[in-house]
Amino acid sequence: DTGVSQNPRHKITKRGQNVTFRCDPISEHNRLYWYRQTLGQGPEFLTYFQNEAQLEKSRLLSDRFSAERPKGSFSTLEIQRTEQGDSAMYLCASSLGQNNEKLFFGSGTQLSVL
Amino acid sequence: DQQVKQNSPSLSVQEGRISILNCDYTNSMFDYFLWYKKYPAEGPTFLISISSIKDKNEDGRFTVFLNKSAKHLSLHIVPSQPGDSAVYFCAARSTGGGNKLTFGTGTQLKVEL
């Protein structure tokens, strides 16, 4: 399977714990995006990388959130001191990095904070 | 501030008929528009797109229409099939936005036999 891969698919954690998600993009894709989706809403942009450089962060991304893409390949999204409001589907997408191109999404990580 | 709006949360259509999904936007800087389809427990998958220099784009059963003056686009599916039942998201991108997409809230399409 050469699509975007996300792990884990589901994560249940207690409030205050830290969690980390991983995304493996399509191998030749330079750009990697993180989105968050809550029930009844569309995906909301969080951040994106061009290779290993993090080029933009949404104001939705509080200080408790950090994303990395250390070698320009896979990426991790960490949430520290989770809150119940962090419960959502976290989606990763990748693209080649050209104009007017589509994003390819993974199946997401569903986070539930108890 | 919802820059991309899908005012119909759900739509029900009979198999074989036309499905029309609507989307409105407010940001004049948007210049590229996409439709994604999403099944439960899966990520969104790309369906069709249109650049702001065009007013129509077709791909098989799917056609997207863009009315820039009204800041409105629509997705037509004809004929509709039961496998088209999914949530459809309209998304938009602005020039210089780094390919970042702004999504609407989605429309749940149900195609009935």
Side-chain angles (χ1 to χ4, degrees):
Chain A
D1 185 11
T2 57
V4 178
S5 176
Q6 290 189 248
N7 288 290
R9 289 295 305 273
H10 304 275
K11 179 71 178 178
I12 300 173
T13 190
K14 291 183 179 178
R15 189 176 52 188
Q17 298 293 305
N18 298 345
V19 294
T20 300
F21 311 138
R22 176 177 170 126
C23 171
D24 288 89
I26 294 171
S27 59
E28 64 267 25
H29 284 186
N30 295 322
R31 288 190 179 163
L32 186 148
Y33 306 78
W34 285 100
Y35 283 79
R36 180 173 68 188
Q37 185 179 14
T38 53
L39 201 61
Q41 300 296 315
E44 294 176 296
F45 170 79
L46 293 178
T47 187
Y48 91 95
F49 293 82
Q50 173 82 29
N51 298 312
E52 66 274 11
Q54 189 173 18
L55 295 187
E56 187 175 345
K57 293 195 292 186
S58 164
R59 59 179 181 274
L60 292 175
L61 213 63
S62 77
D63 291 344
R64 297 184 296 105
F65 288 70
S66 63
E68 294 183 344
R69 194 182 183 198
K71 296 181 180 178
S73 57
F74 73 92
S75 175
T76 57
L77 178 67
E78 181 184 16
I79 309 174
Q80 297 182 326
R81 305 180 303 281
T82 52
E83 301 173 356
Q84 287 184 325
D86 296 332
S87 296
M89 171 74 80
Y90 289 84
L91 293 162
C92 175
S94 69
S95 72
L96 278 168
Q98 299 169 351
N99 291 331
N100 289 353
E101 57 171 2
K102 59 191 179 188
L103 272 61
F104 292 82
F105 283 85
S107 297
T109 295
Q110 181 66 54
L111 173 66
S112 298
V113 182
L114 305 178
Chain B
D1 177 30
Q2 193 73 27
Q3 297 185 63
V4 178
K5 301 177 185 179
Q6 293 178 257
N7 293 319
S8 298
S10 64
L11 175 67
S12 187
V13 171
Q14 278 194 318
E15 183 182 10
R17 299 290 185 101
I18 185 170
S19 296
I20 300 176
L21 295 93
N22 293 305
C23 177
D24 297 290
Y25 63 96
T26 58
N27 189 340
S28 300
M29 298 302 292
F30 287 147
D31 63 354
Y32 192 66
F33 303 89
L34 306 90
W35 285 93
Y36 278 81
K37 180 168 73 171
K38 187 178 185 301
Y39 294 116
E42 295 183 12
T45 55
F46 171 78
L47 197 57
I48 193 169
S49 63
I50 188 167
S51 166
S52 60
I53 61 173
K54 295 186 176 181
D55 55 18
K56 179 182 173 181
N57 188 28
E58 277 183 88
D59 184 2
R61 296 185 298 114
F62 303 92
T63 303
V64 56
F65 295 92
L66 175 62
N67 183 333
K68 281 196 300 182
S69 60
K71 292 191 176 67
H72 176 84
L73 64 156
S74 61
L75 174 67
H76 293 209
I77 306 173
V78 56
S80 301
Q81 299 174 353
D84 296 330
S85 297
V87 178
Y88 288 78
F89 291 100
C90 172
R93 181 171 56 224
S94 59
T95 306
N99 234 22
K100 176 183 68 180
L101 297 179
T102 300
F103 283 83
T105 52
T107 297
Q108 172 76 60
L109 173 65
K110 184 177 180 182
V111 180
E112 298 173 322
L113 296 172

